Amino acid sequence: MTPPPEQPPVARPLGPLDSVLLRGVRVLGQGATDVRIDSGRIAAMGPGADDGTAARRVDVSGLVMLPAFVDLHTHLREPGGEDSETIASGTRAAAAGGYSDVFAMANCRPVTDTPRRVESITDLAGRVGACRVHPVGAVTTGLRGQSLAPIGGMARAGARLFSDDGRCVDDPQLLREALLASREAGTVIAQHAQCPRLAGDGQINAGPVADHTGLPPWPAVAEETIAARDVVLAAETGSPLHICHVSTAGTVAVVRWAKQQGWPVTAEVAPHHLMLTDRSAAEADPLYKVNPPLRSAADVTALRAALADGTLDAVATDHAPHPAHRKANDWCHAPFGMLGLETALSVVAEVLVTSGGGPDWARIAGVMSHQPARIGGITALAGRPLRAGEPATFTLIDPEADWRVDTGELHSLSTNTPFASMTFRNRVVATAVGGRLTHDRIDLLPLTAEKEPRR
Ligand SMILES: [Zn+2]
């Protein structure tokens, strides 16, 4: 077996976790065991791990260890939106949420639509990031949907995923050309499936809550028609297509059908669509305004089932920070979007459960780590199995945390989370990337240890 490759370190770890024995940890939620970490790797796991060589032993009894998470859909806002988030703050939020890697969406100002802009985000993240950042390239120049951005050049600069997210690539011929260019580059197109004509000026899921609030309705077919069209284009071009933030039962059916045909289609779902319905928006509080909108209870049921049976491959946060004063506008003038990074695990652990009712930890590792790493083409780095010899890239979860979400404690610069003041049982308490701690609520680093200087 060839050893996994060396991993680039994150720019701003809290400190190294070296020659440490974690005692009583539940790897993938299984029975308590010991894990020894040395030189950035998992040195040993299981009954023989405590061979007396570890310089320090830490009792973490009851905590669950999962491979650190990968987010295919993060809005870090920098450059251009630093009043809502920066690469530094957004990656701190990611580390606090258990993430080792995030894919940073292209709808910055300026848009990430050239190789140089891909490199500049990579460079900045390499200096200030608390997790690894993978820039997403735009599909079309300026996200304008008119001409193809230089997909091959951006791929050579390191982009693995391409998306006009926030906008749909509406022109089918342009999307077809993008799929062909992406296939040539060995990358993936991620579509924000939303027909602009059918969505119109929609603000809220079409249905009783739209009728009650009088807000313009946003029909499910706006998403489903684009999804149906695009899986056919993926089949015809033989090029991988990823569907962003699936929100309706109809889109689930389209994805299921495409997979049954063996077409190269993957899909993600956001935590808020797995837990909240449009009824949350009955008071027209813009905190619940998101694109695509919160849907019906029947849609939530279909999304949960599709995540459990593998139709939906990944959970992706669509972390979309906005300054408080902009979210405080009336509904129609407030921006779309919600925070996601710091609450994703807590939400998913409540909705992805075994028949016994507890979190299905192995499947959570699949949808939050292994599968997003595979879709994003970073399996050499992230979403690796937890076993001896692998990089010590993991997250620790307290399954009895009883955590009440306090926006004052969040690491994001923004506070627009619909989960504020909600209580969750499971909470991420520590994250390590290649043996370096990036988040630590439980003092895994001894207080006396010399912490790495913060640059
Ligand atoms: Zn989107």
Side-chain angles (χ1 to χ4, degrees), residues 33 47 107 145 178 212 282 374 407 430 439 442:
T33 190
N107 62 338
H212 164 78
R374 178 175 53 76
T407 54
H439 178 63
I442 50 173

Side-chain angles (χ1 to χ4, degrees), residues 171-342:
D171 178 339
Q173 176 59 14
L174 200 55
L175 183 73
R176 188 169 176 274
E177 289 167 19
L179 285 164
L180 291 169
S182 176
R183 189 186 68 181
E184 179 79 19
T187 57
V188 178
I189 301 287
Q191 173 72 299
H192 173 120
Q194 178 191 334
C195 172
R197 290 276 290 147
L198 290 172
D201 62 353
Q203 291 281 321
I204 189 168
N205 183 44
V209 182
D211 298 343
H212 164 78
T213 57
L215 291 168
W218 181 329
V221 291
E223 175 174 309
E224 293 156 359
T225 50
I226 294 291
R229 181 196 79 175
D230 290 358
V231 298
V232 174
L233 289 172
E236 189 252 351
T237 57
S239 180
L241 172 78
H242 180 69
I243 301 178
C244 295
H245 41 52
V246 171
S247 73
T248 79
T251 307
V252 166
V254 168
V255 172
R256 189 171 285 135
W257 171 66
K259 288 188 167 188
Q260 281 165 358
Q261 312 309 308
W263 295 346
V265 171
T266 56
E268 68 186 32
V269 60
H272 45 265
H273 289 126
L274 290 166
M275 181 165 277
L276 306 175
T277 69
D278 55 357
R279 293 178 66 91
S280 305
E283 306 300 318
D285 179 345
L287 205 51
Y288 301 99
K289 178 173 175 176
V290 67
N291 177 352
L294 299 176
R295 302 289 188 182
S296 70
D299 291 311
V300 170
T301 301
L303 294 171
R304 289 183 182 188
L307 190 64
D309 73 16
T311 302
L312 296 175
D313 302 87
V315 170
T317 67
D318 197 6
H319 179 81
H322 291 291
H325 71 272
R326 294 194 61 213
K327 266 298 199 186
N329 273 315
D330 67 278
W331 181 288
C332 287
H333 294 96
F336 291 98
M338 322 175 148
L339 301 185
L341 289 167
E342 295 184 67

